[in-house]
Amino acid sequence: MTELLVAKGIAKAFGPTAALVDASMSVRAGELVAVMGPSGSGKSTLLHCLAGILKPDSGTVSYRGAELSAMSDSERSALRRNDFGFVFQFGQLVPELTFLENVALPLRLGGMRRADAERSAMVWMDLLEVGDIAAKRPGEASGGQGQRVAVARALATKPKVLFADEPTGALDSLNGERVLHLLFGAARQTGAAVVLVTHEPRVAAHADREIVVRDGRTQDVELVA
Ligand code: ADP
Ligand code: MG
């Protein structure tokens, strides 16, 4: 399988805090990778380095063989826009827009006509089982529904890699599992690789691979599945 994203020997400090000491991992095309570890171990920092949002102090991150640190800021932004998708814990949807308009937004920003963008957005919403609330706004639905819409929006631009940082952290475990189950299913259908930071071991068990981060260091774990 093709290695899409490779991080080698990443270190990153914030002032006196060493968030990452020695982190290495790879993501292959279409692969679902779960990143686990205690709070404060460096998971979010690792995800941000992988996605080119944070610049490591040392070590390298390469996407399709090209080092992110060798790219210009505008090349890195273009990469994030075109090849990467993001889902965060909360607060990522525009409260004034309907769910449908939220999912259509990145397509509209990419130059798609409104009718086409909304038609395409609806396909993603149906896939995440939120088609029936397309006309509602974020304040009018549950947190789990909102996160499913956020996943639909992140996938609508057909990213090669979907980064999700504890996307269910604000949900109860039943709703959280449901969101992640739908996220994994949609990613499998579209061929997007997923880098998921999660505290749910039962969900992580459905990933192809699990990376554990402890005190800024990564450990690969063989999955029994
Ligand atoms: P995790 O996502 O596993 O909880 P983080 O990667 O967010 O861990 O953080 C790792 C360590 O780096 C923690 O000690 C955290 O307080 C620190 N840290 C993360 N981001 C920043 C920042 N922007 N400024 C200062 N310290 C930070
Ligand atoms: Mg975090």
Side-chain angles (χ1 to χ4, degrees), residues 74-95:
S74 67
E75 283 172 326
R76 263 194 307 273
S77 307
L79 179 63
R80 285 204 293 273
R81 206 168 44 244
N82 297 327
D83 288 41
F84 296 167
F86 298 90
V87 186
F88 299 104
Q89 191 165 329
F90 39 53
Q92 52 213 319
L93 297 171
V94 184

Side-chain angles (χ1 to χ4, degrees), residues 123-208:
V123 174
W124 295 99
M125 295 190 77
D126 284 336
L127 200 57
L128 274 298
E129 299 179 5
V130 281
D132 55 327
I133 54 162
K136 291 197 177 190
R137 291 184 168 72
E140 301 167 337
S142 73
Q145 287 171 321
Q147 286 304 78
R148 273 144 61 191
V149 174
V151 173
R153 187 173 74 166
L155 287 172
T157 51
K158 299 194 182 143
K160 300 283 189 295
V161 187
L162 178 68
F163 294 96
D165 193 354
E166 305 199 32
T168 60
L171 306 177
D172 64 59
S173 73
L174 197 67
N175 273 308
E177 271 189 47
R178 179 157 172 68
V179 171
L180 293 178
H181 176 74
L182 288 165
L183 183 155
F184 274 1
R188 287 265 193 235
Q189 276 196 38
T190 61
V194 175
V195 181
L196 169 73
V197 175
T198 178
H199 275 116
E200 305 269 358
R202 281 199 288 175
V203 170
H206 291 285
D208 298 314

Side-chain angles (χ1 to χ4, degrees), residues 14 17-19 37-46 165-166 197:
F14 298 100
T17 308
S39 184
S41 58
K43 303 181 297 296
S44 294
T45 305
L46 176 58
D165 193 354
E166 305 199 32
V197 175

